[in-house]
Amino acid sequence: MDGLVAQCSARLLQQEKEIKSLTAEIDQLKNCGCLEASPNLEQLREENLKLKYRLNILRKMLKSKEQKVNPREIAENITKHLPGNECIEKVEIAGPGFINVHLRKDFVSEQLTSLLVNGVQLPALGENKKVVVDFSSPNIAKEMHVGHLRSTIIGESMCRLFEFAGYDVLRLNHLGDWGTQFGMLIAHLQDKFPDYLTVSPPIGDLQAFYKESKKRFDTEEEFKKRAYQCVVLLQSKNPDITKAWKLICDVSRQEFNKIYDALDISLIERGESFYQDRMNDIVKEFEDRGFVQVDDGRKIVFVPGCSIPLTIVKSDGGYTYDTSDLAAIKQRLFEEKADMIIYVVDNGQSVHLQTIFAAAQMIGWYDPKVTRVSHAGFGVVLGEDKKKFKTRSGETVRLIDLLEEGLKRSMDKLREKERDKVLTAEELKAAQTSVAYGCIKYADLSHNRLNDYIFSFDKMLDDRGNTAAYLLYAFTRIRSIARLANIDEEMLQKAARETKIILDHEKEWKLGRCILRFPEILQKILDDLFLHTLCDYIYELATTFTEFYDSCYCVEKDRQTGKVLKVNMWRMLLCEAVAAVMAKGFDILGIKPVQRM
């Protein structure tokens, strides 16, 4: 209790200093004769009032802590000192001291009109701020598998959200493109694939060759020496070995891009090889600061509060993942000048990443109070047997196979609903892709990322409940309301400027408030990085719209002829606002809706 009182007191002093500073600025403006000309004056006055109000509330709270005031009395004091504003209709105290704030309908109506006229927007929260997002990160010479799905989808969606909030976002693909495995693979190709200097084997063969090379590395001493020799040659930039390595990277990159193009993923490749020339300086910096200890030939760094030390140089003189990750975080902090770095990496890497972050703080590279460095971890993808998702033969599921299966099942579902009889071939193809990839993404993003989730095509393609299939169908239905009433976009835009949105019906009022919660939802996700909150909101918005549509006529038609008799334009505008918010939500989630489905 004493600590809270001290904290409140300190905040009060700070508030008073800010008020004095702002008042002095206003006086200065008056004295220099630019009272009316200054664009900052009203802003300063408004801030001054806000600070005084907050100061008053803090004093009341401080008094209540010191004197043990009844909670209802605190609530009465707060409501008594609330300044008048355009948002609040009335304030009521309920129960032991809860404060219920009722919004003015005119205010909500005006905000909805603004949304329709100006588009769905957020304040420029990220103006002049840079975010680095590290995601996807497959390994060269290996095919992308279901284990890469979550990082790729979650990372892309986070990037889209931060970009919408005005941040400068650097999307990095931290590829596994360096290390002993490439010495093994190149040495094996020298024996089994004579053309390795002119062409690389296809990705499937490369993966098979990699497995064979690993087996030889573990069992053949002579091969092991040759593999290490190839690593040394690669590190020293030998032209032939470098060429072979680049060919392997190129063929892998082509396969990765097929996945990225299908899922509409945008990345800048910056693998472990990018940081190799920085390794010596990283080791030297830790040595110069006295953080390095030698243990059985290894150079290790103990980080306070972390159970496992970092190995920055192996006993054979080679570098490790620890070294490259330290080089990466330093480059992002000092060269990219990131205000925020987010690592979208599975939960299994949590201890490693927390140790890297702690080491970077220990050596003084960043202050967590100034720069945010976060691990956005996630669980694994499970099969319907609740074990790690595998093929029937026990192999890891290739991501390209998963996407192709999604397309097949999506088309089967559309045909089952006889959509192939009403859609053109082009529309059917667009619907197939939208549903297939949308369902795969949404099934992942709609779960709390920290948890494992069960991958089930049957569940994700179900058009009932909180699924992409349901939401995509709901979206096309909402968009079709105006089209079937012969109202085009130009007419809606004109109505948005001229027609007041009425919120008299309880379902109109509920829907209007739900629409306006969108920025608040996004702000929460920017803080905690949990995208399932957005999925829950879009589903809530869709179901709230259904309640509204079932209760409130948007278009009144003759029951016999189907002729449109009356269009309630303010309700059409509510439909348009719902569709606009859903479309932006889908865009952030990386889902592409279609006009007809």
Side-chain angles (χ1 to χ4, degrees):
M1 182 67 74
D2 289 343
L4 182 58
V5 170
Q7 189 180 350
C8 286
S9 299
R11 185 66 185 131
L12 288 176
L13 289 171
Q14 181 62 29
Q15 292 276 10
E16 286 169 346
K17 285 180 185 175
E18 289 180 44
I19 287 174
K20 284 179 183 176
S21 172
L22 286 166
T23 305
E25 284 192 56
I26 292 174
D27 292 340
Q28 189 178 4
L29 287 167
K30 286 179 182 175
N31 294 335
C32 73
C34 47
L35 179 63
E36 298 304 322
S38 169
N40 293 325
L41 183 60
E42 290 308 315
Q43 186 181 340
L44 289 169
R45 282 178 172 156
E46 188 180 338
E47 186 64 23
N48 192 280
L49 284 171
K50 284 180 184 175
L51 286 168
K52 283 179 178 175
Y53 164 66
R54 283 155 63 195
L55 186 63
N56 215 345
I57 295 293
L58 279 168
R59 283 188 174 128
K60 299 292 179 188
M61 290 176 68
L62 186 58
K63 180 184 173 186
S64 73
K65 292 293 179 186
E66 290 171 340
Q67 300 178 2
K68 296 184 180 177
V69 180
N70 183 294
R72 193 172 176 89
E73 188 180 333
I74 299 171
E76 286 168 356
N77 270 322
I78 290 172
T79 55
K80 197 192 308 179
H81 291 88
L82 274 175
N85 64 73
E86 61 179 5
C87 313
I88 299 173
E89 179 75 31
K90 62 178 178 177
V91 179
E92 294 175 336
I93 299 167
F98 298 108
I99 300 173
N100 293 330
V101 179
H102 296 259
L103 295 175
R104 285 181 56 237
K105 287 184 179 177
D106 281 352
F107 170 75
V108 173
S109 176
E110 288 161 11
Q111 295 302 307
L112 291 167
T113 296
S114 175
L115 182 154
L116 288 163
V117 171
N118 302 315
V120 181
Q121 297 177 343
L122 269 184
L125 302 169
E127 195 171 6
N128 301 319
K129 291 180 183 175
K130 187 169 188 176
V131 182
V132 173
V133 184
D134 178 328
F135 69 107
S136 193
S137 310
N139 291 313
I140 293 292
K142 294 182 182 178
E143 292 181 278
M144 288 182 76
H145 56 76
V146 71
H148 296 112
L149 184 66
R150 301 208 72 184
S151 176
T152 305
I153 290 172
I154 295 168
E156 172 68 23
S157 190
M158 283 185 185
C159 290
R160 287 169 179 251
L161 173 58
F162 278 98
E163 285 163 351
F164 181 53
Y167 288 84
D168 174 17
V169 179
L170 179 61
R171 304 149 159 264
L172 290 185
N173 197 1
H174 190 76
L175 293 174
D177 66 352
W178 201 255
T180 305
Q181 66 267 35
F182 290 96
M184 290 164 23
L185 183 54
I186 292 169
H188 188 64
L189 290 177
Q190 287 172 339
D191 296 340
K192 303 290 184 181
F193 196 80
D195 296 333
Y196 76 99
L197 287 176
T198 55
V199 64
S200 170
I203 190 74
D205 292 349
L206 263 182
Q207 189 153 322
F209 280 139
Y210 173 80
K211 289 178 181 177
E212 291 168 12
S213 71
K214 181 70 172 74
K215 188 175 179 181
R216 290 183 69 189
F217 186 83
D218 291 339
T219 57
E220 299 176 24
E221 197 58 38
E222 187 58 37
F223 178 79
K224 191 173 188 177
K225 286 178 185 175
R226 240 182 350 113
Y228 276 131
Q229 192 176 21
C230 286
V231 174
V232 172
L233 289 170
L234 180 60
Q235 289 173 340
S236 59
K237 300 181 182 175
N238 173 276
D240 282 350
I241 300 301
T242 301
K243 186 178 182 183
W245 170 73
K246 283 183 176 177
L247 286 169
I248 293 167
C249 291
D250 287 344
V251 77
S252 302
R253 190 179 295 115
Q254 288 166 19
E255 292 303 312
F256 299 159
N257 285 339
K258 289 177 185 176
I259 303 285
Y260 296 144
D261 290 346
L263 294 175
D264 196 20
I265 308 293
S266 177
L267 281 156
I268 291 173
E269 184 183 311
R270 194 174 288 174
E272 293 165 18
S273 60
F274 177 85
Y275 303 101
Q276 291 310 299
D277 293 340
R278 294 167 168 78
M279 302 290 204
N280 281 327
D281 292 342
I282 294 295
V283 174
K284 187 174 185 302
E285 186 172 353
F286 274 87
E287 286 179 327
D288 290 347
R289 295 287 300 277
F291 292 129
V292 175
Q293 297 180 30
V294 178
D295 176 60
D296 200 20
R298 299 179 304 146
K299 291 184 178 179
I300 61 174
V301 174
F302 282 96
V303 184
C306 299
S307 56
I308 301 171
L310 296 172
T311 299
I312 59 172
V313 181
K314 296 187 289 187
S315 57
D316 62 8
Y319 299 123
T320 68
Y321 290 123
D322 294 346
T323 333
S324 62
D325 282 341
L326 286 168
I329 195 171
K330 185 177 183 185
Q331 192 275 338
R332 293 163 185 180
L333 289 164
F334 288 91
E335 294 178 43
E336 301 300 343
K337 296 181 169 35
D339 298 287
M340 193 183 309
I341 308 173
I342 300 168
Y343 290 77
V344 187
V345 183
D346 70 88
N347 289 335
Q349 297 296 314
S350 179
V351 172
H352 166 70
L353 285 173
Q354 294 307 323
T355 309
I356 293 291
F357 302 164
Q361 290 173 50
M362 178 181 76
I363 204 165
W365 290 346
Y366 80 97
D367 178 351
K369 292 176 184 174
V370 178
T371 306
R372 177 182 177 184
V373 180
S374 301
H375 172 212
F378 53 85
V380 299
V381 182
L382 304 175
E384 295 192 65
D385 59 358
K386 298 186 179 177
K387 296 178 181 176
K388 271 196 175 182
F389 196 27
K390 302 274 187 184
T391 63
R392 287 180 183 174
S393 61
E395 295 290 314
T396 302
V397 178
R398 297 192 318 154
L399 199 42
I400 195 75
D401 292 341
L402 192 77
L403 298 184
E404 286 173 2
E405 177 69 11
L407 287 169
K408 178 184 174 299
R409 291 196 182 220
S410 170
M411 182 59 79
D412 290 346
K413 192 80 173 177
L414 289 164
R415 285 186 171 136
E416 180 187 312
K417 290 180 168 291
E418 300 188 335
R419 304 312 295 162
D420 53 323
K421 294 178 181 177
V422 294
L423 299 176
T424 66
E426 191 177 342
E427 286 172 338
L428 186 65
K429 177 71 176 170
Q432 176 196 24
T433 306
S434 173
V435 171
Y437 298 155
C439 287
I440 289 170
K441 290 179 179 182
Y442 192 85
D444 190 315
L445 295 169
S446 60
H447 288 84
N448 183 320
R449 61 174 166 77
L450 294 177
N451 300 335
D452 300 341
Y453 86 95
I454 295 170
F455 190 97
S456 167
F457 273 123
D458 290 338
K459 286 181 182 175
M460 65 178 68
L461 289 167
D462 193 341
D463 55 9
R464 296 162 297 178
N466 189 4
T467 66
Y470 167 76
L471 293 172
L472 286 165
Y473 281 121
F475 179 81
T476 56
R477 282 198 300 273
I478 295 167
R479 282 289 193 210
S480 71
I481 294 167
R483 188 173 66 247
L484 295 173
N486 299 315
I487 297 171
D488 60 24
E489 194 172 331
E490 190 177 330
M491 293 166 70
L492 284 168
Q493 279 299 307
K494 185 173 184 291
R497 292 189 296 271
E498 299 174 357
T499 305
K500 181 179 178 180
I501 296 174
I502 302 166
L503 301 168
D504 289 343
H505 193 286
E506 62 170 330
K507 299 301 182 184
E508 294 170 335
W509 180 230
K510 182 179 179 181
L511 182 60
R513 284 177 296 148
C514 188
I515 293 166
L516 294 188
R517 282 178 44 225
F518 187 53
E520 166 199 331
I521 295 296
L522 297 187
Q523 178 62 67
K524 182 179 184 302
I525 303 166
L526 288 167
D527 292 338
D528 64 25
L529 307 177
F530 285 109
L531 288 154
H532 69 275
T533 309
L534 176 56
C535 299
D536 291 344
Y537 167 77
I538 296 172
Y539 178 63
E540 180 189 345
L541 182 61
T543 53
T544 304
F545 173 82
T546 300
E547 290 178 24
F548 153 79
Y549 192 68
D550 288 346
S551 303
C552 305
Y553 286 113
C554 297
V555 181
E556 297 180 35
K557 295 182 179 180
D558 186 294
R559 292 189 178 180
Q560 275 149 4
T561 65
K563 182 181 176 183
V564 174
L565 301 174
K566 181 183 178 185
V567 174
N568 294 317
M569 190 55 83
W570 79 91
R571 288 176 177 165
M572 297 300 295
L573 292 176
L574 277 173
C575 296
E576 182 63 17
V578 171
V581 169
M582 286 184 75
K584 177 48 69 178
F586 284 148
D587 182 59
I588 291 169
L589 298 174
I591 295 171
K592 290 184 177 179
V594 289
Q595 293 302 318
R596 298 192 69 210
M597 185 177 289

